[in-house]
Amino acid sequence: MDGRSFLSSLAYVMFSPFFHRTALAEQIDFDQLRKRFDPAMTKKLAVIKLPPSFWMQDPKINPRADHLLWAALLLDDPERVALAFSAMAVEHEERQRKQAADDAPGITEVFEEAVHDLLQLIPKKNHELRSHIHRLAGRIIP
């Protein structure tokens, strides 16, 4: 396992109990998800306030923005979704600054891809949750 996939797997650990197909097919423990989201978002905001060269790659310190977005969408909390989206936008802007602007997807595409990835984890039979996430995501990026 290379270093990047190892870090990616560590980032997944914080929210992994919530992002399995079986967990998304059953009742989600929203209290537990909320308890994990809030400190993770606090950590993310602290990291992105630093100059980008000081952004830590350790997912225990700098949780993945897409996982924060997924958690916020599952919590059905527009304010948390907006916070997670803001973190995604800051990271996206920094990535775009480092590469040619025409090579990188726009923030809308990044957001839509993250939502799509979450929806791929939710069983098709859970229509209510899937449509609810679509509606909430549509309010963030119309």
Side-chain angles (χ1 to χ4, degrees):
M1 177 181 284
D2 68 5
R4 186 172 186 163
S5 61
F6 175 72
L7 287 178
S8 197
S9 66
L10 278 177
Y12 198 70
V13 171
M14 183 175 287
F15 294 107
S16 64
F18 305 99
F19 297 155
H20 288 287
R21 282 187 177 276
T22 53
L24 292 168
E26 300 168 1
Q27 182 63 33
I28 298 168
D29 185 349
F30 293 109
D31 289 333
Q32 205 49 259
L33 183 57
R34 195 173 293 105
K35 286 177 186 176
R36 291 185 189 198
F37 178 87
D38 292 336
M41 191 71 231
T42 300
K43 289 177 182 185
K44 174 59 91 178
L45 292 173
V47 168
I48 62 175
K49 284 182 181 180
L50 297 170
S53 58
F54 291 103
W55 288 358
M56 288 63 87
Q57 296 307 310
D58 181 349
K60 293 177 194 167
I61 298 169
N62 186 9
R64 285 180 45 178
D66 61 337
H67 288 183
L68 290 166
L69 177 68
W70 292 1
L73 286 166
L74 290 171
L75 288 169
D76 187 28
D77 188 323
E79 290 178 4
R80 285 184 172 101
V81 172
L83 272 174
F85 176 67
S86 296
M88 285 181 78
V90 169
E91 289 181 341
H92 177 71
E93 183 179 319
E94 180 57 24
R95 277 191 301 276
Q96 276 194 314
R97 191 182 66 72
K98 289 182 178 179
Q99 54 186 215
D102 56 340
D103 291 346
I107 187 60
T108 301
E109 289 82 15
V110 171
F111 179 81
E112 288 172 351
E113 183 178 329
V115 172
H116 173 77
D117 290 347
L118 173 61
L119 290 171
Q120 295 305 303
L121 295 173
I122 300 171
K124 301 261 190 247
K125 66 180 180 180
N126 198 338
H127 301 292
E128 186 178 334
L129 180 59
R130 293 173 65 84
S131 64
H132 200 73
I133 287 172
H134 270 295
R135 281 193 305 274
L136 182 55
R139 285 188 275 172
I140 301 299
I141 301 280

